[in-house]
Amino acid sequence: MYADEPMRPRTMQGRAPDVFTRGGWIPMQLRSDGEEVDFVVIGTGAGGGPLTARLAEKGFSVVAFDAGPYFRPLEEFASDEASQSKLFWTDERIVDGANPLKMGANNSGKAVGGSTVHFAMVSLRFRPEWFRSRTLLGYGADWPLDWREMWTYYAQAEQDLSISGPLSYPWGPKRPRYPYRAHEVNAAGLLLAKGAEAMGYRWSPTPLATVSAPRGNSPPCVYRGFCRVGCSTNAKQSQLVTYIPRAVRAGAEIRDLAMVGRIEVDATGRATGVHYHRDGVWRFQRARNVVVAGYAIETPRLLLNSATDRFPDGLANSSGLVGRYLMTQSNQAVWGEMEEEVRWNKGPPSLALTEHWNYDDRKDFFGGYCWMGQGPLPIEWSSVLTGARGLWGEALRRQMENYNHQIGLKMVGEMLPHLDNRVTLSEEHDQYGLPIPRITYSWTDNDKALIDHGLAQMRTSLELVGARNIFLQKDDTNHLAGTARMGFSRETSVVDADCRSWDIPNLFVCDGSVFPTTGGVNPHLTITAIALRTADRIEALAKRGEL
Amino acid sequence: MDTRSPTGPVAVALAAAGGMTVLGMALSGAGLRRSGRRVAARANAVVGAADRRTAVTAARRLNRASGTLAASVLFDSAVEHYRGGFHNKAMYTPLVAATLSLLVSAHGHRDRGHDAELARDLVYAGAGLAGLLGTGFHVFNVGKKPGGFGWQNLFYSAPLGAPAALCLSGLLGWLSERVRDNAPDTAPLVLGIPAGRVVGAATAAGIIGTVAEAGLLHLRGQFHDPFMLLPVTVPPVAAGFCAAAAFGGAGRPRPLARWMLRASAVIGLSGSAFHAIGVARSMGGWRNWRQNLLDGPPLPAPPAFTGLALAGLAALSLLEDQPE
Amino acid sequence: MTDGTASRYPGYNVLSKRDGPSWDEVTRQVIDRRLNVPREPRFLDPERFRTLKAVCGRILPQPPERPDVPLAAHVDAKLFDNALDGYRHADLPPLREAWLRGLAALDAEAHAAHGRAFADLAYRQQDTLLRRCEAGELSHPAWDGMPPASFFSQRVLADIVAAYYAHPSAWSEIGYGGPASPRGYVRMGANRRDPWEASEARPGRERTALKENRRVR
């Protein structure tokens, strides 16, 4: 039930699984450990996936490592919450602080494609002002990126991922039409819409990375509702079915089940390659450039764990900020029951949203948030009832019987960066012999004010559609950011606008860890857009001989 | 691998269906040219004399047009209203009306007489009324949903255009009775207007409405297959020719109009084949028919174009036969 | 059910769809394995397993009219596989150690309070003990620094409840559609049921629901 047979690497023979055909393969170029490849990319998720594909398409030799397996969705993704936990990063991590984070299912994936294999596909753009939130809005930190430039990379990401979204999106500056039409909104989403309209707010079908019409070998979504435990139909446009096959076609090598434990740096202070664990042994891959794309826990963990005499506090850490300014997003929810049957598990979980409070600044705290319709599967829903209401025994079973009548609204809210929210290395070691990360998190007063505001708003929305037995889930968070922030100077940030570390010129970080602030929308599309931009910047740097 | 183009058996099937469409259009074009010459010759031979047999032929053609539309509506509304669980008893109405319209159309098709039948008239009038009421229902339903008449509801809520096809079936049937029921040695009139003009104008309008419906739904599907452009490109041209004929000079052949209408008729039929391929491409294919027949592209919808094209051809015959 | 009311979804059994288009091969394999979980403990010792079974019986008392979901066996399987969650609170020891210590401590508390093993207590006494655990009111040395409240919320509730709602019997009970691939769902609106979904026995339509549920494939 819990553990499948241990998997062996699949891409060692010069071929990679063809995710679109059962038992199929696509040819893949192999590189030897001794070959000094142009780029090693560590992690194949929302940041590493597009970066690997674009660098390979630009003619660089690239080897991308992922600690997880290269899955075949059609054959290996069961319609089952419990067994699909195989997609999550379930290695031990220690959480503490006043508001410890939940990891595992929530925040990280261990598979080729990273957490995009099990994310909820919500693909939103930042509000432009968030890229200069310190200057324009008075909190957090400015990004060294211009929103207009990001707008073009967002558009590219939306095209590459065939985002299904509304013909006109109600918030923010004009954007091109989404490549595919928005999906039909289910009953849970329509109740969000009804509530929003009653409150005088606009709402929208959520732009999602799952196709509403055929796209190549991806059939349209069948609304099975298992999105967050892996899509078995390939309708979901995860990295695994989009950028990864592109990367392989363009000549990149994907090394599955390969855990990078240390980045090697030579006497001149340049990265020379990575030590990785695969198929039972430690190996060393030489590289001219190293990109870390392990997301906000594994990225700082690797940088910290690669400390040398020359860099005793870890790589790229002269600022002391590696692992710091960790951010999550408030993911609190309000739940209730309807008289009618809602059957919220039908369709993707978040088919409708309102970004009203991302664009309305009449509030007495910093940051914004959106909220979305919900459709948790039974195990997840039972954990809400045990966690938020402490139900067990007969009371729990009776409440669970209302499953088909439940509705819920969940916020994705901006939490402010704080120096003391951070990732460090603990004394314990994992199966690779590497120190386990310790994740320390406490909400700020501003975070609490934003959460209270969101909960009250969502409660009103549920009340206005006639929900009964409403209760609040006050403790949930989701998504990660920070820990290797980008910025304008080596004193105040870890990487520059090109995601290049200030300290080691051939070491890059390309994932959500570079976010100086996290905004009030899901981070995936912004990570992808940054990766696309980074690939273009690397090409430009290489042309100028500055790599 | 180009992920934007289908691969394997699907490509073969698409190519086959596409080839059949093109072939059908070419054949109909060839047939057209021949019949165009034939009509031209006949028109020259009998200048000014309306032929009662032509009227009956045209009327029977309209019966076929009405029946084709009715069949399309019958199966389409059966599928869609089954999907809706017939939660409102009124959702059976189009099934009954379309079935009756189909039956009397078959009856009309077999009937070579010169007289209108009251039963047929009643059924056709009823179908037209049911179509109007259906449109009203659908408008009401869309209007009360969150989002109102926004794109989202136009795409996914009760289709505003679908009941209109039932209206058209009734209208064409009713017109067929008027055409059939003309006095000897006169050109058929409807409400004092030459029947060819009325049928031609109604057909042109009907085609445009159907194009709008197909365009809306194919936009929902992001025109992901180039063949999805066919129903929004050829039929509008056909409608234009049809309208030009309806408002233009009578008594002369219009081979281009015929050509385009026949092409539209072929597109209508091959559309069902394309949609069948679409069902096969959906997750689970035909084995998952309980889902894919409902969520996939609708099999019964495209032949509405065929029905309207038949009506257009009837109009052209009437117009050619009509004295200048 | 146990409180005397009839099932909300009479006659509905999610397993009736096993061979239809809602289940694919990998799902059948996964669920078959789950239904055939070894009933005897492979990780826990018999004493602790007995305590665990008693705890499971109180966390999720099961209806008498169908075979019990062997919750303790599933928790033991999780421990046997050492299937971690991906995080643990700093005040808790790792998964296996937490369960070993927690079950022993609950038993020790039972002996201290009632002179009997936890499994031999009356339901009411077991419930009381569990509630005190939940509230963090237990302090026997056997806890050895592990906060009982954390053990209760992070391990007892989380692991047992997750095991229950991973089981087809629980899915049938709550009218959940269960596995859905390649066939997903068609009717997305409120009060719209696909014919392969559970039909609810609202007052007055119990017989209809029964009939519809028997046709679910």
Side-chain angles (χ1 to χ4, degrees), chain A residues 175-193:
Chain A
R175 58 186 72 181
R177 195 171 85 190
Y178 285 105
Y180 280 69
R181 300 300 84 73
H183 290 271
E184 181 176 1
V185 176
N186 62 7
L190 286 177
L191 285 163
L192 176 148

PDB file of all heavy atoms in Angstrom, chain A residues 175-193:
ATOM      1  N   ARG A 175      -3.074  40.906 -21.608  1.00  0.00           N
ATOM      2  CA  ARG A 175      -2.196  39.788 -21.924  1.00  0.00           C
ATOM      3  C   ARG A 175      -2.738  39.116 -23.166  1.00  0.00           C
ATOM      4  O   ARG A 175      -3.916  39.271 -23.484  1.00  0.00           O
ATOM      5  CB  ARG A 175      -2.144  38.810 -20.753  1.00  0.00           C
ATOM      6  CG  ARG A 175      -3.509  38.249 -20.360  1.00  0.00           C
ATOM      7  CD  ARG A 175      -3.426  37.411 -19.105  1.00  0.00           C
ATOM      8  NE  ARG A 175      -3.202  38.212 -17.912  1.00  0.00           N
ATOM      9  CZ  ARG A 175      -3.077  37.700 -16.686  1.00  0.00           C
ATOM     10  NH1 ARG A 175      -3.135  36.408 -16.512  1.00  0.00           N
ATOM     11  NH2 ARG A 175      -2.896  38.483 -15.658  1.00  0.00           N
ATOM     12  N   PRO A 176      -1.883  38.383 -23.899  1.00  0.00           N
ATOM     13  CA  PRO A 176      -2.395  37.707 -25.091  1.00  0.00           C
ATOM     14  C   PRO A 176      -3.450  36.672 -24.703  1.00  0.00           C
ATOM     15  O   PRO A 176      -3.506  36.232 -23.557  1.00  0.00           O
ATOM     16  CB  PRO A 176      -1.158  37.021 -25.672  1.00  0.00           C
ATOM     17  CG  PRO A 176       0.009  37.506 -24.895  1.00  0.00           C
ATOM     18  CD  PRO A 176      -0.488  38.078 -23.623  1.00  0.00           C
ATOM     19  N   ARG A 177      -4.242  36.295 -25.696  1.00  0.00           N
ATOM     20  CA  ARG A 177      -5.256  35.269 -25.453  1.00  0.00           C
ATOM     21  C   ARG A 177      -4.581  33.974 -25.007  1.00  0.00           C
ATOM     22  O   ARG A 177      -3.539  33.608 -25.538  1.00  0.00           O
ATOM     23  CB  ARG A 177      -6.026  35.025 -26.748  1.00  0.00           C
ATOM     24  CG  ARG A 177      -7.297  34.264 -26.561  1.00  0.00           C
ATOM     25  CD  ARG A 177      -8.086  34.255 -27.842  1.00  0.00           C
ATOM     26  NE  ARG A 177      -7.652  33.168 -28.708  1.00  0.00           N
ATOM     27  CZ  ARG A 177      -8.037  33.023 -29.969  1.00  0.00           C
ATOM     28  NH1 ARG A 177      -8.836  33.908 -30.511  1.00  0.00           N
ATOM     29  NH2 ARG A 177      -7.619  32.012 -30.683  1.00  0.00           N
ATOM     30  N   TYR A 178      -5.175  33.298 -24.031  1.00  0.00           N
ATOM     31  CA  TYR A 178      -4.623  32.004 -23.623  1.00  0.00           C
ATOM     32  C   TYR A 178      -4.714  31.026 -24.789  1.00  0.00           C
ATOM     33  O   TYR A 178      -5.684  31.056 -25.551  1.00  0.00           O
ATOM     34  CB  TYR A 178      -5.373  31.461 -22.407  1.00  0.00           C
ATOM     35  CG  TYR A 178      -5.005  32.165 -21.129  1.00  0.00           C
ATOM     36  CD1 TYR A 178      -5.856  33.087 -20.548  1.00  0.00           C
ATOM     37  CD2 TYR A 178      -3.776  31.928 -20.529  1.00  0.00           C
ATOM     38  CE1 TYR A 178      -5.508  33.753 -19.376  1.00  0.00           C
ATOM     39  CE2 TYR A 178      -3.415  32.586 -19.368  1.00  0.00           C
ATOM     40  CZ  TYR A 178      -4.279  33.494 -18.791  1.00  0.00           C
ATOM     41  OH  TYR A 178      -3.923  34.154 -17.655  1.00  0.00           O
ATOM     42  N   PRO A 179      -3.729  30.133 -24.906  1.00  0.00           N
ATOM     43  CA  PRO A 179      -3.710  29.241 -26.071  1.00  0.00           C
ATOM     44  C   PRO A 179      -4.947  28.350 -26.163  1.00  0.00           C
ATOM     45  O   PRO A 179      -5.393  28.042 -27.266  1.00  0.00           O
ATOM     46  CB  PRO A 179      -2.449  28.395 -25.851  1.00  0.00           C
ATOM     47  CG  PRO A 179      -1.611  29.158 -24.897  1.00  0.00           C
ATOM     48  CD  PRO A 179      -2.543  29.986 -24.065  1.00  0.00           C
ATOM     49  N   TYR A 180      -5.470  27.914 -25.039  1.00  0.00           N
ATOM     50  CA  TYR A 180      -6.671  27.082 -25.043  1.00  0.00           C
ATOM     51  C   TYR A 180      -7.754  27.733 -24.198  1.00  0.00           C
ATOM     52  O   TYR A 180      -7.473  28.535 -23.312  1.00  0.00           O
ATOM     53  CB  TYR A 180      -6.350  25.669 -24.505  1.00  0.00           C
ATOM     54  CG  TYR A 180      -5.714  24.766 -25.539  1.00  0.00           C
ATOM     55  CD1 TYR A 180      -4.420  25.018 -25.999  1.00  0.00           C
ATOM     56  CD2 TYR A 180      -6.399  23.689 -26.075  1.00  0.00           C
ATOM     57  CE1 TYR A 180      -3.842  24.218 -26.966  1.00  0.00           C
ATOM     58  CE2 TYR A 180      -5.820  22.879 -27.039  1.00  0.00           C
ATOM     59  CZ  TYR A 180      -4.537  23.149 -27.482  1.00  0.00           C
ATOM     60  OH  TYR A 180      -3.970  22.350 -28.441  1.00  0.00           O
ATOM     61  N   ARG A 181      -9.021  27.337 -24.476  1.00  0.00           N
ATOM     62  CA  ARG A 181     -10.135  27.930 -23.745  1.00  0.00           C
ATOM     63  C   ARG A 181     -10.181  27.398 -22.325  1.00  0.00           C
ATOM     64  O   ARG A 181      -9.737  26.285 -22.035  1.00  0.00           O
ATOM     65  CB  ARG A 181     -11.465  27.610 -24.435  1.00  0.00           C
ATOM     66  CG  ARG A 181     -11.614  28.112 -25.870  1.00  0.00           C
ATOM     67  CD  ARG A 181     -11.494  29.620 -25.993  1.00  0.00           C
ATOM     68  NE  ARG A 181     -10.106  30.044 -26.080  1.00  0.00           N
ATOM     69  CZ  ARG A 181      -9.336  29.868 -27.161  1.00  0.00           C
ATOM     70  NH1 ARG A 181      -9.815  29.317 -28.240  1.00  0.00           N
ATOM     71  NH2 ARG A 181      -8.082  30.257 -27.159  1.00  0.00           N
ATOM     72  N   ALA A 182     -10.772  28.178 -21.461  1.00  0.00           N
ATOM     73  CA  ALA A 182     -10.946  27.757 -20.074  1.00  0.00           C
ATOM     74  C   ALA A 182     -11.823  26.506 -20.014  1.00  0.00           C
ATOM     75  O   ALA A 182     -12.638  26.259 -20.902  1.00  0.00           O
ATOM     76  CB  ALA A 182     -11.587  28.881 -19.264  1.00  0.00           C
ATOM     77  N   HIS A 183     -11.649  25.730 -18.960  1.00  0.00           N
ATOM     78  CA  HIS A 183     -12.469  24.533 -18.781  1.00  0.00           C
ATOM     79  C   HIS A 183     -13.849  24.901 -18.258  1.00  0.00           C
ATOM     80  O   HIS A 183     -14.045  25.972 -17.692  1.00  0.00           O
ATOM     81  CB  HIS A 183     -11.794  23.594 -17.779  1.00  0.00           C
ATOM     82  CG  HIS A 183     -10.547  22.962 -18.326  1.00  0.00           C
ATOM     83  ND1 HIS A 183     -10.570  21.783 -19.017  1.00  0.00           N
ATOM     84  CD2 HIS A 183      -9.257  23.365 -18.302  1.00  0.00           C
ATOM     85  CE1 HIS A 183      -9.330  21.476 -19.396  1.00  0.00           C
ATOM     86  NE2 HIS A 183      -8.522  22.428 -18.973  1.00  0.00           N
ATOM     87  N   GLU A 184     -14.763  23.965 -18.466  1.00  0.00           N
ATOM     88  CA  GLU A 184     -16.080  24.130 -17.845  1.00  0.00           C
ATOM     89  C   GLU A 184     -15.880  24.218 -16.326  1.00  0.00           C
ATOM     90  O   GLU A 184     -15.081  23.478 -15.755  1.00  0.00           O
ATOM     91  CB  GLU A 184     -16.962  22.932 -18.192  1.00  0.00           C
ATOM     92  CG  GLU A 184     -18.361  23.045 -17.608  1.00  0.00           C
ATOM     93  CD  GLU A 184     -19.277  21.895 -18.019  1.00  0.00           C
ATOM     94  OE1 GLU A 184     -18.817  21.002 -18.752  1.00  0.00           O
ATOM     95  OE2 GLU A 184     -20.439  21.911 -17.599  1.00  0.00           O
ATOM     96  N   VAL A 185     -16.599  25.136 -15.694  1.00  0.00           N
ATOM     97  CA  VAL A 185     -16.462  25.317 -14.251  1.00  0.00           C
ATOM     98  C   VAL A 185     -17.438  24.376 -13.545  1.00  0.00           C
ATOM     99  O   VAL A 185     -18.623  24.328 -13.893  1.00  0.00           O
ATOM    100  CB  VAL A 185     -16.726  26.788 -13.872  1.00  0.00           C
ATOM    101  CG1 VAL A 185     -16.695  26.962 -12.367  1.00  0.00           C
ATOM    102  CG2 VAL A 185     -15.694  27.694 -14.532  1.00  0.00           C
ATOM    103  N   ASN A 186     -16.943  23.620 -12.569  1.00  0.00           N
ATOM    104  CA  ASN A 186     -17.813  22.662 -11.871  1.00  0.00           C
ATOM    105  C   ASN A 186     -18.664  23.367 -10.812  1.00  0.00           C
ATOM    106  O   ASN A 186     -18.566  24.578 -10.612  1.00  0.00           O
ATOM    107  CB  ASN A 186     -16.980  21.520 -11.281  1.00  0.00           C
ATOM    108  CG  ASN A 186     -15.974  22.015 -10.234  1.00  0.00           C
ATOM    109  OD1 ASN A 186     -15.989  23.179  -9.853  1.00  0.00           O
ATOM    110  ND2 ASN A 186     -15.115  21.118  -9.783  1.00  0.00           N
ATOM    111  N   ALA A 187     -19.487  22.580 -10.138  1.00  0.00           N
ATOM    112  CA  ALA A 187     -20.421  23.170  -9.171  1.00  0.00           C
ATOM    113  C   ALA A 187     -19.675  23.930  -8.079  1.00  0.00           C
ATOM    114  O   ALA A 187     -20.094  25.012  -7.663  1.00  0.00           O
ATOM    115  CB  ALA A 187     -21.292  22.078  -8.563  1.00  0.00           C
ATOM    116  N   ALA A 188     -18.537  23.359  -7.639  1.00  0.00           N
ATOM    117  CA  ALA A 188     -17.772  24.029  -6.582  1.00  0.00           C
ATOM    118  C   ALA A 188     -17.280  25.392  -7.066  1.00  0.00           C
ATOM    119  O   ALA A 188     -17.330  26.379  -6.329  1.00  0.00           O
ATOM    120  CB  ALA A 188     -16.593  23.145  -6.164  1.00  0.00           C
ATOM    121  N   GLY A 189     -16.831  25.451  -8.321  1.00  0.00           N
ATOM    122  CA  GLY A 189     -16.349  26.712  -8.874  1.00  0.00           C
ATOM    123  C   GLY A 189     -17.476  27.717  -9.071  1.00  0.00           C
ATOM    124  O   GLY A 189     -17.307  28.912  -8.844  1.00  0.00           O
ATOM    125  N   LEU A 190     -18.636  27.211  -9.500  1.00  0.00           N
ATOM    126  CA  LEU A 190     -19.759  28.130  -9.725  1.00  0.00           C
ATOM    127  C   LEU A 190     -20.249  28.729  -8.410  1.00  0.00           C
ATOM    128  O   LEU A 190     -20.733  29.864  -8.378  1.00  0.00           O
ATOM    129  CB  LEU A 190     -20.907  27.395 -10.429  1.00  0.00           C
ATOM    130  CG  LEU A 190     -20.653  27.099 -11.914  1.00  0.00           C
ATOM    131  CD1 LEU A 190     -21.815  26.316 -12.505  1.00  0.00           C
ATOM    132  CD2 LEU A 190     -20.427  28.389 -12.705  1.00  0.00           C
ATOM    133  N   LEU A 191     -20.091  27.981  -7.316  1.00  0.00           N
ATOM    134  CA  LEU A 191     -20.484  28.550  -6.019  1.00  0.00           C
ATOM    135  C   LEU A 191     -19.510  29.656  -5.609  1.00  0.00           C
ATOM    136  O   LEU A 191     -19.917  30.655  -5.011  1.00  0.00           O
ATOM    137  CB  LEU A 191     -20.555  27.450  -4.959  1.00  0.00           C
ATOM    138  CG  LEU A 191     -21.804  26.570  -5.112  1.00  0.00           C
ATOM    139  CD1 LEU A 191     -21.655  25.259  -4.339  1.00  0.00           C
ATOM    140  CD2 LEU A 191     -23.054  27.322  -4.653  1.00  0.00           C
ATOM    141  N   LEU A 192     -18.247  29.492  -5.954  1.00  0.00           N
ATOM    142  CA  LEU A 192     -17.299  30.599  -5.739  1.00  0.00           C
ATOM    143  C   LEU A 192     -17.756  31.812  -6.541  1.00  0.00           C
ATOM    144  O   LEU A 192     -17.806  32.932  -6.046  1.00  0.00           O
ATOM    145  CB  LEU A 192     -15.889  30.184  -6.163  1.00  0.00           C
ATOM    146  CG  LEU A 192     -14.807  31.276  -6.075  1.00  0.00           C
ATOM    147  CD1 LEU A 192     -13.457  30.653  -5.746  1.00  0.00           C
ATOM    148  CD2 LEU A 192     -14.676  32.135  -7.326  1.00  0.00           C
ATOM    149  N   ALA A 193     -18.122  31.555  -7.816  1.00  0.00           N
ATOM    150  CA  ALA A 193     -18.528  32.652  -8.702  1.00  0.00           C
ATOM    151  C   ALA A 193     -19.756  33.378  -8.142  1.00  0.00           C
ATOM    152  O   ALA A 193     -19.810  34.604  -8.113  1.00  0.00           O
ATOM    153  CB  ALA A 193     -18.816  32.098 -10.091  1.00  0.00           C
TER     154      ALA A 193
END
